[in-house]
C-alpha cells in the first residue's frame, strides 16, 4: 500500500482522479448522494443508500464504470512501473494482490490514512463510489461556502 500511495500521489494521477470526482459531485445523478442525511448535517449519521430504481441510476452506474476504468488504468501503470515483466504475464495477479491489500487496509486503522485506499476501494464497490462522490461534493461545498477565514478570526 505504501508504494501504491507514493505512485497515487503523483500530480497527474491525483489531478485526473479529482477532476473526474468533481465532475460527478456536481452531476444531477448524484444529487441524493450529496444531500446531507435526514435529520441534519451530523457526521455520525449515514447517508441513505442511493436508489437503484430511479432515472439517474443508469447514469450513476455509467459514472462508476468510467471511474473504475480510470482506476484500472492507474493500477495498470503502477504494476507496469513497479513490477515490470517482459511479457506482462503476472499483471493480473499483481492487480489482485493490490485489491486484497486495499480491502485489508480498509479494516486496518493504521493504514486508513493512505489517500489511495478509499479511491481504489471506490473503483471496486458502487456504494463506496457513491460515498466518495458525496464526500467530494461535501468538500466542494465546504470550500465554496468557506471555512472561517483567517481575516475573520483576526477581526
Amino acid at each position: 500500500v505504501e508504494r501504491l500511495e507514493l505512485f497515487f500521489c503523483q500530480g497527474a494521477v491525483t489531478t485526473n482522479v479529482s477532476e473526474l470526482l468533481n465532475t460527478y459531485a456536481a452531476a444531477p445523478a448524484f444529487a441524493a448522494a450529496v444531500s446531507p442525511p435526514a435529520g441534519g448535517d451530523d457526521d455520525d449519521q449515514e447517508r441513505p443508500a442511493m436508489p437503484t430504481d430511479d432515472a439517474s441510476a443508469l447514469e450513476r452506474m455509467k459514472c462508476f464504470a468510467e471511474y473504475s476504468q480510470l482506476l484500472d488504468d492507474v493500477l495498470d501503470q503502477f504494476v507496469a512501473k513497479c513490477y515490470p515483466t517482459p511479457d506482462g504475464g503476472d499483471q493480473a495477479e499483481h492487480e489482485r494482490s493490490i485489491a486484497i491489500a486495499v480491502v485489508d487496509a480498509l479494516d486496518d486503522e493504521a493504514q486508513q490514512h493512505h489517500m489511495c485506499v478509499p479511491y481504489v476501494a471506490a473503483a471496486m464497490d458502487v456504494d463506496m463510489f457513491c460515498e466518495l462522490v458525496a464526500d467530494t461534493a461535501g468538500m466542494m461545498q465546504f470550500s465554496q461556502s468557506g471555512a472561517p477565514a483567517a481575516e475573520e478570526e483576526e477581526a
Side-chain angles (χ1 to χ4, degrees):
V1 175
E2 296 287 339
R3 290 174 68 182
L4 180 61
E5 179 74 2
L6 290 173
F7 182 82
F8 204 86
C9 289
Q10 294 178 19
V13 173
T14 55
T15 297
N16 291 339
V17 172
S18 66
E19 286 176 355
L20 196 57
L21 286 171
N22 288 341
T23 300
Y24 298 152
F30 288 95
V34 300
S35 300
D41 203 12
D42 187 30
D43 287 340
D44 292 337
Q45 292 183 357
E46 289 188 31
R47 287 182 182 87
M50 293 294 294
T52 57
D53 59 350
D54 68 349
S56 56
L58 186 58
E59 183 64 25
R60 286 190 300 276
M61 287 306 295
K62 180 181 162 200
C63 293
F64 173 67
E66 183 179 38
Y67 177 81
S68 294
Q69 183 60 55
L70 173 66
L71 267 288
D72 190 45
D73 293 346
V74 168
L75 290 177
D76 286 347
Q77 294 168 15
F78 172 73
V79 169
K81 181 178 179 181
C82 295
Y83 305 101
T85 58
D87 61 357
D90 288 341
Q91 186 159 348
E93 185 58 38
H94 289 301
E95 289 178 3
R96 235 181 328 278
S97 67
I98 291 167
I100 291 168
V102 166
V103 169
D104 289 346
L106 286 171
D107 295 330
D108 183 356
E109 285 187 33
Q111 294 190 19
Q112 289 179 356
H113 68 280
H114 293 295
M115 180 179 75
C116 66
V117 171
Y119 290 122
V120 174
M124 296 186 286
D125 182 89
V126 71
D127 291 331
M128 286 183 174
F129 169 71
C130 289
E131 189 175 314
L132 182 60
V133 172
D135 290 346
T136 301
M139 288 186 284
M140 288 172 54
Q141 290 172 355
F142 182 77
S143 68
Q144 289 170 354
S145 68
E151 59 262 6
E152 290 176 13
E153 292 176 10
E154 292 174 7

